Amino acid sequence: DECGQRHAVGSIEELRELGGSSIPGDDELDLHRPQVDEYELKCTKCKGKMTRVAEVIDAWFDSGSMPFAQYHHPFDTSGTFEDQFPADYICEGIDQSRGWFYSLLVISIFLKGESAYKNCVVTDLILDKKGQKMSKSKGNVVDPWDLLNTEGADAVRWYLISNSPPWLPTRFDSKGVTEASQKILGTLRNVYSFFTMYASVDDFEPGGDAGELSLLDRWILSRYHSTVANVTTQLDGYDMTRAARTLQAFVIDELSNWYIRRSRRRFWKGKMGPDKIGAYNTLYTVLSGTVRLLAPFVPFVAEEIYQALHEAPGDGASVHLEDFPQSDTALIDRELESLMETALTVSSLGRTVRNEAGIKIRQPLAEMLIHDNGDRSKKLVADEAVLDIVLDELHVKELRLIDDPTSVVTLKAKPAFPVLGKRFGKRVPEVAAAIKALPGEALADFNRTGEATAELSGETITLGRDEMSVTVEGQEPYGAWTERGVTVALNLKIDGPLRLEGIAREIVNRLQNLRKKAGYDVSDRIVICYDGGKTADDVFESHGALIQSETLAESADRAEQDWTDATELTVDDDTVRLWIRRI
């Protein structure tokens, strides 16, 4: 002002005090626009006229100067600036593209001739589930606190990072957060609960005897270290979404749905021996490492499980103070991983056939036939250990390879009309007819290679998977399914012995559920009593030993009881009643 003083103004009220009542209201005044100069401000001390300082630099200059100002560069000579510059990455919302990102870049180029950051991670807008921008006027705003209080912060974090890359607009659906919580976080907690439940029964302590590693142990350790390598590469490349999805597939599909399910019997049956100790050590190693892999994504759940796995870890111990896992290439067995991937594919196809036919997985079947023009299935059949896993998984007595799938299935071609229309126009009906006329051998080759050729008015055309597809239909008594070049057919005929074994396994399932409902410990021994007609007698006579072994029963006798823990099932016209009692 005219008296040469600078007056600090922190609010509209203070500005009014300096300039008097001529200052407009809050909703009328924009301090960032030149129109403020229109108002005559008077100094309260000398009553002189106040004017705007002309040399006002862009407000973003301070932010852009951050890399230099924070270390007092170039006046500080400790070398700290040189150690920290340039930054590995910066991360902000997309609106900062013309703000902070730009000012950092321009000032750094001007002073140093290079960018102040090596990578820029941008976060785009979060839209509603229909792709509309959230707005109070539209009523489509999601209150984050509602989700944080119901699903937790980690579920929200995981949903956002796994749903889509952060630099793309995200369609936000609250149901997706719930699903994320149930799938990855729920599965992770279930894996931990499974481990601690059995480890406490057997008084397992990590760090002792290593035990013996089974084929499944070696496979999951290999997959864990492969996952560590993949996630590390993806995070180093700032591909957070792909890293999250890689982890999710490992935890759900491989660790929980395959390794633990296929190893469950090793944990609850028998006494502590080399095989059981090996299983405990393997699961502990993989679970502990997986928690560290997940820590950057779900910090609270990871910390919770880490603290539980490391009882009394010491003051200040935290998963976030641990080193990020390192991949041990010596434990990666690519051939075993490929073999088990084939086993997973075959098992998935077999379950699909069962589901389509409405046959429960507990019902044994006589045979499974596989057609695969490659070497995958041949290697599977040649490896007895992996073959046994597949047969047990699908409850199939025998597995055979077949050279010609058309001997048990009918292949049908289905044209993709929308795609064909773009390429062939008015000739689509002729092309569709040519596709449907393709022989079974050509369709089998298409399943393997993804390409098929057809004759069209003297012209040979090549068709891909986006232009046609092939479905399979089993020929009596087979049901079939095909995927990724592999065709699986199951003999769905259930004869007398197979039917009895299926009933026995259904009884095992009922008794296991009864044990759980009664609150029995997983290691508790029981006695079984049963009553019913001829079916009950036939089942226990032929498969009583199986029922006892699977339910930890010391005996199974025909006798009607008044015990509290009871259940029953109806088979045709016969009702089988069951009682159990803890010893």
Side-chain angles (χ1 to χ4, degrees):
D1 59 25
E2 293 181 2
C3 67
Q5 297 187 32
R6 293 175 180 267
H7 300 282
V9 177
S11 65
I12 294 294
E13 287 73 18
E14 292 175 294
L15 190 59
R16 286 201 187 96
E17 291 179 5
L18 284 174
S21 60
S22 62
I23 302 300
D26 296 9
D27 56 342
E28 301 175 28
L29 180 62
D30 187 344
L31 293 177
H32 296 286
R33 297 184 180 275
Q35 66 193 43
V36 180
D37 290 339
E38 299 173 5
Y39 299 98
E40 185 175 304
L41 306 182
K42 296 295 184 71
C43 174
T44 55
K45 293 184 179 180
C46 68
K47 306 303 180 182
K49 182 179 179 181
M50 298 177 64
T51 58
R52 173 185 291 273
V53 176
E55 298 80 7
V56 177
I57 199 167
D58 189 305
W60 285 105
F61 179 80
D62 286 346
S63 296
S65 302
M66 177 273 295
F68 310 96
Q70 68 177 340
Y71 296 123
H72 202 207
H73 181 78
F75 306 104
D76 181 80
T77 59
S78 66
T80 304
F81 171 80
E82 287 74 16
D83 292 339
Q84 299 292 326
F85 185 89
D88 286 327
Y89 74 97
I90 55 172
C91 179
E92 262 286 2
I94 195 171
D95 55 299
Q96 295 295 345
S97 296
R98 63 182 180 86
W100 190 41
F101 299 160
Y102 173 76
S103 61
L104 278 170
L105 180 64
V106 169
I107 293 173
S108 180
I109 293 294
F110 179 76
L111 293 177
K112 302 294 291 184
E114 62 177 316
S115 172
Y117 46 87
K118 300 175 184 177
N119 298 278
C120 182
V121 181
V122 180
T123 55
D124 209 320
L125 296 177
I126 297 179
L127 311 174
D128 70 6
K129 61 183 179 181
K130 296 181 180 179
Q132 300 295 316
K133 187 176 180 180
M134 292 188 187
S135 170
K136 290 182 179 179
S137 62
K138 293 181 179 179
N140 62 346
V141 175
V142 175
D143 187 343
W145 287 108
D146 291 341
L147 287 171
L148 294 175
N149 291 331
T150 55
E151 304 298 342
D154 278 354
V156 177
R157 287 169 62 97
W158 186 265
Y159 170 74
L160 290 175
I161 200 65
S162 63
N163 186 49
S164 66
W167 47 82
L168 296 178
T170 298
R171 294 192 177 196
F172 190 89
D173 188 352
S174 299
K175 293 181 180 179
V177 179
T178 303
E179 183 180 350
S181 178
Q182 293 173 344
K183 287 180 67 176
I184 181 68
L185 301 183
T187 300
L188 187 63
R189 288 190 174 101
N190 288 340
V191 171
Y192 166 74
S193 297
F194 175 86
F195 171 78
T196 54
M197 176 175 64
Y198 288 104
S200 61
V201 170
D202 289 321
D203 294 324
F204 169 76
E205 292 291 339
D209 183 9
E212 295 179 357
L213 298 183
S214 70
L215 180 139
L216 277 170
D217 295 334
R218 291 188 287 108
W219 170 76
I220 196 63
L221 286 170
S222 179
R223 286 299 306 135
Y224 164 72
H225 285 284
S226 293
T227 301
V228 170
N230 292 335
V231 169
T232 301
T233 299
Q234 290 155 359
L235 290 181
D236 286 346
Y238 295 89
D239 196 346
M240 293 78 72
T241 299
R242 189 180 298 274
R245 291 173 179 175
T246 298
L247 276 169
Q248 180 164 294
F250 173 74
V251 172
I252 296 176
D253 299 332
E254 297 177 331
L255 178 59
S256 177
N257 289 348
W258 191 248
Y259 174 76
I260 288 182
R261 193 161 55 79
R262 296 307 316 158
S263 301
R264 187 181 299 273
R265 191 175 302 174
R266 300 168 63 199
F267 289 93
W268 71 268
K269 291 187 70 174
K271 298 180 180 179
M272 287 290 281
D275 178 67
K276 198 172 190 179
I277 293 173
Y280 274 122
N281 279 316
T282 298
L283 183 53
Y284 177 83
T285 298
V286 173
L287 178 58
S288 179
T290 301
V291 167
R292 285 184 286 148
L293 282 174
L294 285 165
F297 301 91
V298 286
F300 301 109
V301 173
E303 181 72 351
E304 174 190 5
I305 296 178
Y306 172 87
Q307 294 289 345
L309 284 174
H310 301 79
E311 295 183 6
D315 295 338
S318 168
V319 69
H320 305 295
L321 298 178
E322 290 274 9
D323 291 334
F324 197 74
Q326 299 292 317
S327 177
D328 187 348
T329 56
L331 295 177
I332 296 178
D333 187 336
R334 299 296 185 192
E335 185 174 348
L336 176 58
E337 288 188 21
S338 176
L339 191 61
M340 197 65 75
E341 183 181 2
T342 303
L344 284 162
T345 299
V346 170
S347 298
S348 176
L349 293 173
R351 286 193 295 270
T352 300
V353 175
R354 280 180 170 274
N355 291 337
E356 290 292 314
I359 299 176
K360 293 181 178 180
I361 194 67
R362 289 186 289 275
Q363 173 61 58
L365 297 175
E367 65 174 348
M368 175 168 63
L369 308 179
I370 301 178
H371 170 74
D372 181 3
N373 287 338
D375 293 330
R376 293 173 297 175
S377 297
K378 294 178 181 178
K379 293 180 179 179
L380 171 65
V381 174
D383 192 301
E384 186 175 346
V386 179
L387 177 61
D388 286 344
I389 291 174
V390 174
L391 293 175
D392 188 62
E393 169 68 16
L394 294 174
H395 286 162
V396 176
K397 301 299 183 182
E398 181 185 2
L399 186 152
R400 294 190 292 112
L401 297 178
I402 55 174
D403 295 328
D404 181 12
T406 60
S407 62
V408 292
V409 302
T410 301
L411 302 178
K412 295 182 178 180
K414 183 179 180 181
F417 289 101
V419 179
L420 292 173
K422 295 178 181 179
R423 178 180 172 186
F424 296 100
K426 295 180 180 180
R427 303 171 69 192
V428 167
E430 185 182 357
V431 175
I435 290 175
K436 293 179 180 179
L438 288 172
E441 184 179 349
L443 297 182
D445 288 339
F446 176 82
N447 275 339
R448 178 176 58 86
T449 64
E451 286 188 353
T453 58
E455 294 298 323
L456 191 65
S457 301
E459 175 190 358
T460 301
I461 59 173
T462 301
L463 302 161
R465 293 192 188 279
D466 58 332
E467 296 170 315
M468 61 174 282
S469 60
V470 174
T471 60
V472 299
E473 183 178 317
Q475 301 173 9
E476 190 70 28
Y478 294 95
W481 202 262
T482 187
E483 188 176 298
R484 288 179 284 182
V486 178
T487 300
V488 168
L490 291 177
N491 187 335
L492 304 179
K493 183 179 179 181
I494 303 172
D495 59 16
L498 288 175
R499 177 176 174 274
L500 287 179
E501 185 178 345
I503 297 172
R505 293 189 179 279
E506 185 63 37
I507 289 174
V508 168
N509 179 257
R510 296 295 181 92
L511 292 176
Q512 296 287 39
N513 290 334
L514 184 58
R515 284 178 60 108
K516 185 176 180 180
K517 181 180 178 181
Y520 290 4
D521 192 88
V522 293
S523 61
D524 284 342
R525 297 282 171 171
I526 63 171
V527 293
I528 300 172
C529 285
Y530 68 92
D531 189 29
K534 184 177 184 303
T535 298
D537 290 331
D538 291 343
V539 170
F540 275 91
E541 180 180 350
S542 57
H543 299 289
L546 169 68
I547 296 172
Q548 290 181 225
S549 173
E550 293 295 319
T551 59
L552 297 183
E554 295 292 335
S555 62
D557 300 316
R558 182 182 179 91
E560 186 174 351
Q561 301 289 353
D562 59 356
W563 299 343
T564 302
D565 303 323
T567 187
E568 64 180 37
L569 71 156
T570 300
V571 182
D572 297 333
D573 296 328
D574 192 358
T575 298
V576 181
R577 293 184 292 167
L578 303 162
W579 296 268
I580 63 172
R581 186 177 65 183
R582 181 165 39 193
I583 298 178

